[in-house]
Amino acid sequence: MNNRRLILSAFAAAAMAFCASAQSSTEALAKAQSVVENVHQTVAPDARQIIFDIKAYNDNDGNLTVGGKTSETSAREAIVGALNDNGVDFVEKIEVYPADRWAMTRIPVASHRTAGRHSAEMATQSIMGMPLRLLESDGEFWRVQTHDGYIAYVPSSSVVAKTDDEMRQWRNAKRFVVTSLYQIRAYNSPEASGPRDVVTDLVNGSIVTVPGGVPSIENGRLHIELPDGRTGWAEAEYFAPIEEWAAQNFNPDTILDTAYSMEGSPYLWGGTSTKTLDCSGLAKVSYLSNGIILMRDASQQAKTGTRIEAKDWKTLRAGDLLFFGNSSTGRVTHVAIYDHDGNYVHSSGRVKRNSVDPESPDYLTTPFLHAVRIAGNEETPGITRARNHPWYF
């Protein structure tokens, strides 16, 4: 009888211990999940810019584990630090994508999609010579990050992989940027000009190097080398040394000339080149011609620079960005570039001109929410001069 009581007592104690352990395990998991979510919202709120596929869970052995993938070392460090500060005992299995693997766009314009398939929505584009951070390179599509931080998938055939050493060499190489407002072509010799002599076309902002590192001009054409090693000859007058292009001061005329040069061009969702573009693509391409890198989407651009309220539109200056959308929620859905006297240029159906002045015959009723001034705000969050971007120099 005494043995039976001892056994029952031991069983009861074990059961209580098990319940306490289970409760402790449940509480620890909940705390870890809360920490991960808080870090997610604080460090990586925009999935377009930062990969944050991290979760807290109990593995098959019952160990509290925090694992997954992120594109930023700072996100991993924030999670580990916060968990330690909260006294959580855990196993870390967080993988950070490499920061020393690169790719470069090898065709005039490469389309980046929201998923690794051709049928996926187009998210953005990159142009020839644009450096890309290579996150994953398996399969037909590569996951990359553009110079404005945007993450998407690009066909592997559209880019060429570069090592960290090759990128350092490229940054120190003699490089030229296409400054022509209109598409130009490179040919296979200084004299050739036939349709079967074309090597590639080039758009505004394309970056090339020169064979042997020494510029050579024949028959008015510059001998150029493309990111994948192909060479050609293109009109030298349409190129500027990258240092000269990147050293530009803010110039609204450069920005607006680029935008107006595309007047009539069709709207293309995800387009960010002079071939065809969407509304925020027009802003990006126009500013890039002035050596300034803007954020990708209108909703992101709207949070940069100095805010100017819609009612104060008469104080706007050339080059300011105008944002339109839902007046009830404040949600931004469209962006335009201001010129003067209420007039602006934008991509809506096609690149065209309209006005925010209610008295103008070109006035549109789409709710004008607010504007931002980029001028004077270079090197503030979301606005980067190419000359100060570490991927370029």
Side-chain angles (χ1 to χ4, degrees):
M1 191 68 168
N2 290 336
N3 286 340
R4 185 167 180 270
R5 286 177 179 169
L6 286 174
I7 292 172
L8 289 174
S9 178
F11 179 80
M16 291 177 63
F18 175 81
C19 290
S21 175
Q23 183 179 16
S24 175
S25 176
T26 300
E27 291 176 350
L29 177 59
K31 182 181 287 187
Q33 290 172 333
S34 177
V35 166
V36 170
E37 182 57 26
N38 287 337
V39 171
H40 188 180
Q41 295 302 320
T42 303
V43 177
D46 193 341
R48 294 169 292 185
Q49 302 286 127
I50 297 178
I51 298 171
F52 193 99
D53 296 330
I54 301 172
K55 295 181 179 180
Y57 58 93
N58 287 323
D59 66 14
N60 293 333
D61 296 323
N63 298 315
L64 175 55
T65 304
V66 178
K69 294 183 177 182
T70 179
S71 58
E72 305 301 322
T73 300
S74 59
R76 173 191 168 274
E77 293 174 343
I79 288 176
V80 172
L83 288 171
N84 288 332
D85 289 344
N86 280 271
V88 179
D89 186 17
F90 67 101
V91 176
E92 186 209 334
K93 292 185 178 179
I94 301 174
E95 178 184 344
V96 180
Y97 284 102
D100 59 354
R101 297 176 61 202
W102 304 91
M104 189 170 286
T105 308
R106 71 193 303 175
I107 60 176
V109 179
S111 296
H112 298 226
R113 301 189 178 275
T114 55
R117 58 180 187 276
H118 290 287
S119 59
E121 174 187 341
M122 191 161 79
T124 191
Q125 293 178 321
S126 59
I127 55 180
M128 182 177 287
M130 179 181 288
L132 306 166
R133 179 186 172 191
L134 178 55
L135 301 171
E136 296 177 298
S137 59
D138 294 334
E140 183 181 1
F141 279 79
W142 290 2
R143 198 178 195 184
V144 299
Q145 186 174 37
T146 57
H147 61 185
D148 54 21
Y150 217 80
I151 295 171
Y153 295 81
V154 64
S156 58
S157 59
S158 299
V159 297
V160 57
K162 299 287 183 180
T163 65
D164 210 26
D165 285 340
E166 287 174 328
M167 286 303 297
R168 277 193 289 268
Q169 293 171 15
W170 177 77
R171 294 184 192 103
N172 292 319
K174 192 69 176 177
R175 295 168 291 164
F176 289 86
V177 179
V178 175
T179 56
S180 171
L181 294 177
Y182 305 103
Q183 180 175 292
I184 64 172
R185 287 184 171 83
Y187 295 91
N188 56 23
S189 77
E191 297 81 19
S193 58
R196 301 189 184 189
D197 300 317
V198 174
V199 174
T200 186
D201 62 87
L202 298 159
V203 299
N204 185 276
S206 299
I207 303 174
V208 298
T209 55
V210 293
V214 179
S216 174
I217 297 177
E218 293 185 30
N219 195 32
R221 292 180 178 174
L222 176 68
H223 196 196
I224 63 173
E225 183 171 345
L226 309 183
D228 58 7
R230 288 177 294 155
T231 60
W233 298 81
E235 297 300 323
E237 65 177 304
Y238 297 130
F239 292 88
I242 193 169
E243 296 83 4
E244 179 182 310
W245 166 78
Q248 297 178 82
N249 292 320
F250 180 84
N251 187 334
D253 287 330
T254 297
I255 295 166
L256 285 163
D257 282 350
T258 302
Y260 283 127
S261 74
M262 292 178 278
E263 190 155 8
S265 296
Y267 177 98
L268 176 67
W269 179 273
T272 55
S273 79
T274 53
K275 285 180 178 286
T276 182
L277 28 64
D278 60 20
C279 64
S280 54
L282 179 69
K284 277 189 63 63
V285 169
S286 300
Y287 264 85
L288 188 63
S289 70
N290 195 205
I292 299 171
I293 300 169
L294 298 183
M295 300 289 282
R296 169 62 188 97
D297 292 339
S299 60
Q300 296 171 315
Q301 295 169 359
K303 297 177 182 177
T304 65
T306 300
R307 183 182 175 103
I308 302 168
E309 299 305 325
K311 63 181 178 61
D312 298 322
W313 67 264
K314 290 186 178 180
T315 67
L316 294 173
R317 301 175 190 169
D320 289 345
L321 298 183
L322 314 183
F323 296 95
F324 303 80
N326 189 310
S327 57
S328 298
T329 64
R331 180 173 177 266
V332 170
T333 59
H334 189 61
V335 60
I337 307 173
Y338 189 76
D339 190 351
H340 63 81
D341 298 326
N343 300 315
Y344 60 84
V345 57
H346 63 137
S347 180
S348 177
R350 68 180 189 279
V351 177
K352 59 185 179 182
R353 310 178 191 206
N354 282 107
S355 176
V356 292
D357 184 354
E359 303 301 318
S360 170
D362 294 323
Y363 176 72
L364 286 185
T365 57
T366 305
F368 171 35
L369 304 180
H370 74 275
V372 300
R373 180 156 297 150
I374 303 299
N377 289 291
E378 297 88 336
E379 302 314 318
T380 60
I383 306 170
T384 307
R385 288 191 178 279
R387 66 184 180 225
N388 295 324
H389 198 301
W391 291 13
Y392 287 87
F393 294 97

